[in-house]
């Protein structure tokens, strides 16, 4: 408090003020500071505490509703995948991974699903197989042979439809 009074002593109007006037100004400042403290700290805190039980009940109701919805979703049986056309799925996977269709041999005759890639990277083979697994085809047999003239491999892959 003495630091505030020392600061006020620099002003001529404060030095001219009587002790009674100084007390009135000091009391007025104290009232203003108290009003600001009440309006900034006490009232918002009181309102938050008053609304807390209702907000907690609302959050609990929302949580219970979310739990009910999750339980309902878990009881829904998974839908079987739609029948996939093997040739279309293979061509889509080749296109997606930048492998030219002309470089691949696709055989879907007589319930046989086979793909031959004469020169490709192993990473591309893995990406195509992964994409076809998502489309409902699984690898039945695979042969990868290293090529002597490059880092590529020859891939011969037989697929079967998954029964999910």
């Amino acid at each position: 408090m003495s630091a505030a009074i020392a600061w006020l002593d620099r002003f001529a109007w404060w030095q001219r003020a009587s002790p009674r006037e100084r007390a009135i100004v000091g009391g007025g400042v104290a009232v203003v500071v108290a009003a600001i403290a009440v309006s900034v700290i006490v009232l918002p805190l009181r309102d938050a505490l008053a609304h807390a039980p209702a907000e907690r009940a609302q959050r609990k109701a929302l949580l219970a509703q979310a739990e009910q919805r999750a339980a309902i979703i878990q009881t829904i049986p998974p839908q079987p995948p739609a029948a996939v056309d093997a040739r279309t799925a293979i061509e889509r996977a080749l296109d997606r991974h930048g492998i030219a269709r002309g470089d691949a041999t696709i055989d879907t005759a007589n319930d046989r699903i086979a793909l031959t890639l004469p020169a490709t990277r192993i990473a591309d083979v893995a990406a195509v197989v992964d994409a076809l697994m998502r489309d409902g085809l699984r690898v039945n047999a695979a042969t990868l042979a290293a090529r002597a003239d490059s880092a590529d491999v020859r891939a011969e892959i037989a697929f079967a439809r998954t029964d999910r």
Side-chain angles (χ1 to χ4, degrees):
M1 187 70 153
S2 62
I5 293 174
W7 180 75
L8 287 172
D9 280 337
R10 298 184 313 169
F11 299 104
W13 61 269
W14 183 258
Q15 291 174 359
R16 286 191 309 265
S18 68
R20 182 174 176 235
E21 292 171 334
R22 288 182 182 187
I24 292 172
V25 169
V29 168
V31 167
V32 169
V33 168
I36 290 173
V38 165
S39 66
V40 171
I41 298 169
V42 175
L43 293 178
L45 186 60
R46 186 193 68 189
D47 291 342
L49 289 174
H51 296 355
E55 289 177 4
R56 181 174 186 267
Q58 182 182 14
R59 287 190 187 112
K60 283 182 77 173
L62 287 173
L63 179 61
Q65 184 180 22
E67 288 173 345
Q68 287 174 349
R69 288 181 180 174
I72 290 170
I73 289 171
Q74 288 176 349
T75 61
I76 297 173
Q79 298 296 321
V84 63
D85 178 42
R87 178 172 289 279
T88 305
I90 292 172
E91 289 174 350
R92 188 174 49 232
L94 292 174
D95 292 342
R96 212 177 309 152
H97 296 290
I99 301 171
R101 291 182 190 180
D103 294 342
T105 303
I106 303 170
D107 180 14
T108 57
N110 300 328
D111 292 333
R112 175 185 156 98
I113 305 169
L115 171 65
T116 302
L117 299 169
T120 188
R121 297 179 310 149
I122 292 177
D124 290 337
V125 173
V128 168
V129 167
D130 185 48
L132 291 173
M133 286 180 67
R134 284 189 297 255
D135 286 339
L137 298 175
R138 65 175 169 80
V139 174
N140 197 18
T143 303
L144 299 176
R147 295 179 47 96
D149 57 344
S150 71
D152 292 342
V153 296
R154 175 180 173 83
E156 296 176 6
I157 309 165
F159 295 97
R161 285 181 170 69
T162 58
D163 296 328
R164 292 185 195 182

